[in-house]
Amino acid sequence: MKRSPSSLELAWPPGLQHVVFRELGWHCGRNANRNIRVARTNLAKACQANPEAGDCYMRRAVTELGDLNVEAALENCRNGLAVDGFEEDFGGVELEGRILFERGDFEEHARVTFNRKELLVGHRRKQLETEWQIAVNNYENILGRKAGGCLYELRGNIARICNRQAGDHKKDPQECDVVSLQEEEHVEAHIRKEKKLQKDTRMLGQLYLGKTWKDLEFLQSLRENGHHGNVVRLPGAKESSESMSNTIEECYQKVSHSLHQLQSRTPVYTLRNKRFGSKQSADAYTQENLFKWRYKTYRDVYNQLDRMHELREQRNLPELLKFAEDTLWNYYQIKTTRVFPDQFKFTAEVCNLVGLAVLDQLEVPLNLMDDPLEDRLRHLFHLPPLRETALVVPIFGDKSTFRDPAAPDKQYLSYRNRRLKLEHRLHHSKYPIERALLYHALAQTHLDGEQLDTARIMAGSVMRAAQEAGSNLWFALGTLQLVAADCLQRNVEKLARSLTSAAEAASALKCSRLRQVIHVARIINDKLISKKKLKRASEESQLL
């Protein structure tokens, strides 16, 4: 049976055990097929076997640094420098500065390098002077030549701001502290923020990681898809899903930390200035790039409008609603006013186009009089019948009579997900006419979910948003949603008032087809009221 190097029991003298473990760990951590876990274990055994061997700590620090475990690397390096005889070891001093630089402690890196180089002479001093020049260049890349002096003068104020604690706002120890402990409310990020984060991550990866930015993107997709949703598992794999998730998270954190360190040493604005040479050239390139994106945006917008007009001519309302919703959220919402200055005009164009397409569906059917009187209004306004719970007669031994109480209600889940998505989009809508469209979609969702009272509330919200936008079209569509809710409730008295409001909205809209539909609906509703009165009178006469 083959045993791993870390499990070998060596019968060497105590004075040589640390040498064996040190060389074994150094070999496992430095070769092409390196095994960091085995190298870390053996180097730890070497340090334990001989705590006075400073070179064991140094090699362990190099191994940890190669695995981007900078905290452990710094601890081992300083433990090695603390050993008698290694305080002024040049390799250890240089390694400590490099670890501090990789860790992001630029001030400490500059201080240690400057102080150590003053104690040396010859070629070693020149090496530390080169390291010191790296620290100086790093500060010039980050701060420039003017910001450094300003920050140095304000260092006292900056320290006070950084050391300020939220608990300091308490004036009385007995007073309830509402500042330091605040309720955290989870708010879903706006789609523009998500897209900007993805764009910035892709840009930073391409600038600082080169071709390996694809690895970062792949790790990020694994984390977003449940860590291991895209991983193909082999039949003989022994790693559990939890360990796989931890491994992916650890890899992502290491790559992300390296990316942030590279960006902090040479920020994007420094790369930009070095690329163009002057601020005028950089601004000219930015302006040219802005015009390119603006041209592309308007080209896409006009193509989208052409597609919507085509769908309206085809009377394909479901596809038009889906396409318009995707356009308004996944395209218009991610554009800024610099790239898309006419966003309001085109948003109003899309919303009005959708409203006209909804209005096109309303017409008096030729076979309306063939339906029973109670179903004519539902047929006129294209309303589905309410779902009635079927009475199931139990049959002993038949599996059709059993319903699993734990089974999910897919219809309700679809209604809830649709409602939550529209409410989230409504929270980020900027224009009243866009809110009218979203309230109308919410009202239709509540109608489909048979939440008729909530649908009436949403219809009122459509009318208020339409009044705020000054849109007669969406005000009329709001009154029609109110009519639809009253029609499904079979409340003819409320329906009479709703139809009166709809007739006034149709007159303001100057739409003859809509006026004709509402006129027919009022005639049918009057017949229903008369029928209800006759039925009530006959019931009272029978009682007398």
Side-chain angles (χ1 to χ4, degrees):
M1 178 179 178
K2 186 177 180 181
R3 305 175 68 182
S4 62
S6 60
S7 63
L8 292 176
E9 298 179 1
L10 302 177
W12 289 88
L16 294 178
Q17 281 189 9
H18 78 280
V19 178
V20 177
F21 286 121
R22 181 194 66 192
E23 297 300 327
L24 185 58
W26 185 249
H27 172 75
C28 293
R30 302 295 292 178
N31 60 356
N33 299 321
R34 61 177 185 171
N35 191 328
I36 297 296
R37 182 178 60 84
V38 175
R40 185 182 291 119
T41 302
N42 283 279
L43 289 171
K45 288 183 178 181
C47 296
Q48 185 178 3
N50 187 2
E52 300 299 325
D55 56 341
C56 295
Y57 290 103
M58 294 301 172
R59 296 195 183 191
R60 188 178 178 186
V62 172
T63 303
E64 296 289 358
L65 181 60
D67 197 37
L68 292 180
N69 194 354
V70 291
E71 299 296 335
L74 183 61
E75 180 183 359
N76 284 281
C77 180
R78 287 178 174 173
N79 289 338
L81 290 173
V83 176
D84 293 338
F86 276 85
E87 296 87 350
E88 302 299 330
D89 181 67
F90 178 75
V93 170
E94 189 178 21
L95 179 61
E96 183 185 11
R98 185 150 54 92
I99 294 174
L100 290 171
F101 189 77
E102 293 292 338
R103 191 187 181 197
D105 293 342
F106 302 130
E107 296 88 351
E108 186 69 13
H109 166 255
R111 185 187 67 82
V112 169
T113 305
F114 182 82
N115 293 337
R116 296 289 175 81
K117 80 179 181 65
E118 296 299 323
L119 303 176
L120 299 175
V121 294
H123 66 281
R124 291 186 173 181
R125 180 186 177 91
K126 291 183 179 179
Q127 292 183 18
L128 288 186
E129 284 181 350
T130 304
E131 190 76 17
W132 163 252
Q133 190 61 38
I134 292 175
V136 173
N137 294 337
N138 184 46
Y139 274 104
E140 288 184 356
N141 291 336
I142 297 174
L143 302 175
R145 298 181 179 180
K146 296 182 180 180
C150 178
L151 291 177
Y152 182 78
E153 293 177 0
L154 298 175
R155 63 188 183 279
N157 296 334
I158 295 175
R160 283 195 295 271
I161 294 173
C162 295
N163 294 330
R164 182 181 300 170
Q165 300 294 333
D168 294 341
H169 294 279
K170 291 176 59 177
K171 298 180 181 179
D172 186 2
Q174 303 297 328
E175 182 183 357
C176 179
D177 183 9
V178 296
V179 178
S180 59
L181 296 177
Q182 302 223 356
E183 182 180 359
E184 295 183 0
E185 181 180 357
H186 175 71
V187 179
E188 190 174 353
H190 189 257
I191 185 172
R192 186 189 298 116
K193 186 175 181 180
E194 295 178 357
K195 294 291 184 181
K196 186 177 185 302
L197 182 61
Q198 295 175 4
K199 177 184 176 183
D200 292 344
T201 304
R202 184 170 61 251
M203 180 193 68
L204 292 176
Q206 292 174 352
L207 280 176
Y208 296 103
L209 300 180
K211 295 182 179 179
T212 57
W213 76 273
K214 282 289 186 181
D215 298 336
L216 177 62
E217 188 179 32
F218 176 67
L219 289 173
Q220 193 171 9
S221 66
L222 290 181
R223 295 174 74 242
E224 294 174 354
N225 296 331
H227 295 286
H228 55 276
N230 295 338
V231 176
V232 179
R233 295 199 175 278
L234 299 176
K238 296 182 180 180
E239 294 182 351
S240 63
S241 60
E242 184 177 358
S243 62
M244 179 66 73
S245 301
N246 295 334
T247 303
I248 293 174
E249 185 67 23
E250 183 181 358
C251 292
Y252 177 80
Q253 293 299 332
K254 288 180 180 179
V255 179
S256 178
H257 173 77
S258 301
L259 179 60
H260 282 86
Q261 288 299 317
L262 291 171
Q263 197 272 337
S264 63
R265 297 170 197 170
T266 309
V268 176
Y269 52 80
T270 302
L271 293 176
R272 181 170 175 264
N273 292 334
K274 289 182 178 180
R275 176 184 176 185
F276 296 102
S278 63
K279 186 177 183 302
Q280 291 77 11
S281 300
D283 292 342
Y285 174 79
T286 302
Q287 192 74 7
E288 180 183 359
N289 198 35
L290 173 63
F291 289 149
K292 288 180 180 179
W293 278 104
R294 188 174 293 180
Y295 168 75
K296 182 180 181 301
T297 299
Y298 279 97
R299 185 183 61 188
D300 294 339
V301 165
Y302 282 113
N303 289 334
Q304 292 162 359
L305 285 176
D306 291 341
R307 175 60 178 164
M308 292 181 197
H309 282 288
E310 182 181 350
L311 291 173
R312 184 192 173 192
E313 292 176 358
Q314 297 173 359
R315 302 180 70 87
N316 191 351
L317 183 60
E319 187 66 26
L320 174 59
L321 291 175
K322 182 179 178 181
F323 185 80
E325 181 181 339
D326 180 72
T327 300
L328 287 175
W329 180 251
N330 293 322
Y331 195 83
Y332 282 30
Q333 286 288 343
I334 66 175
K335 298 297 180 182
T336 61
T337 53
R338 294 181 69 245
V339 177
F340 194 15
D342 294 331
Q343 186 175 2
F344 170 72
K345 183 179 74 173
F346 284 94
T347 301
E349 180 74 18
V350 172
C351 293
N352 289 331
L353 189 60
V354 172
L356 291 174
V358 174
L359 205 60
D360 290 342
Q361 306 296 313
L362 292 177
E363 57 185 5
V364 180
L366 297 177
N367 58 347
L368 180 65
M369 304 307 294
D370 298 339
D371 296 330
L373 181 61
E374 292 76 8
D375 296 336
R376 289 176 186 174
L377 285 176
R378 182 180 56 80
H379 188 190
L380 180 63
F381 292 107
H382 305 285
L383 300 175
L386 292 178
R387 296 185 295 273
E388 297 181 359
T389 304
L391 180 62
V392 179
V393 180
I395 302 175
F396 181 76
D398 187 10
K399 65 179 181 179
S400 62
T401 60
F402 173 76
R403 182 182 181 274
D404 186 7
D409 188 352
K410 297 182 179 179
Q411 197 165 9
Y412 172 75
L413 292 177
S414 176
Y415 156 74
R416 188 193 64 177
N417 294 336
R418 173 69 175 167
R419 175 177 58 82
L420 292 177
K421 182 173 69 172
L422 289 173
E423 288 176 352
H424 171 65
R425 296 183 178 183
L426 187 64
H427 178 69
H428 296 288
S429 61
K430 297 190 296 184
Y431 307 116
I433 193 167
E434 185 181 3
R435 288 196 293 273
L437 172 64
L438 292 172
Y439 278 128
H440 186 273
L442 268 173
Q444 188 61 43
T445 302
H446 290 304
L447 284 177
D448 297 338
E450 298 185 357
Q451 306 293 326
L452 303 181
D453 292 332
T454 312
R456 297 187 88 257
I457 296 174
M458 291 296 107
S461 300
V462 175
M463 298 163 64
R464 287 190 294 272
Q467 286 179 338
E468 186 179 355
S471 174
N472 293 328
L473 172 62
W474 282 104
F475 187 85
L477 291 175
T479 58
L480 289 176
Q481 289 292 79
L482 199 62
V483 167
D486 293 337
C487 181
L488 289 177
Q489 284 183 337
R490 298 180 182 273
N491 192 330
V492 290
E493 289 80 7
K494 280 186 178 180
L495 184 57
R497 294 193 292 270
S498 302
L499 287 172
T500 302
S501 301
E504 295 175 357
S507 300
L509 188 60
K510 299 180 181 180
C511 180
S512 59
R513 187 177 70 256
L514 180 59
R515 287 200 299 265
Q516 182 182 6
V517 170
I518 294 175
H519 177 68
V520 173
R522 298 180 75 174
I523 293 174
I524 297 173
N525 190 58
D526 290 340
K527 291 182 179 180
L528 288 173
I529 293 175
S530 301
K531 183 179 179 180
K532 183 178 180 180
K533 289 181 179 179
L534 290 174
K535 183 178 179 181
R536 184 180 300 171
S538 63
E539 290 177 354
E540 291 177 354
S541 63
Q542 289 178 2
L543 291 176
L544 294 175

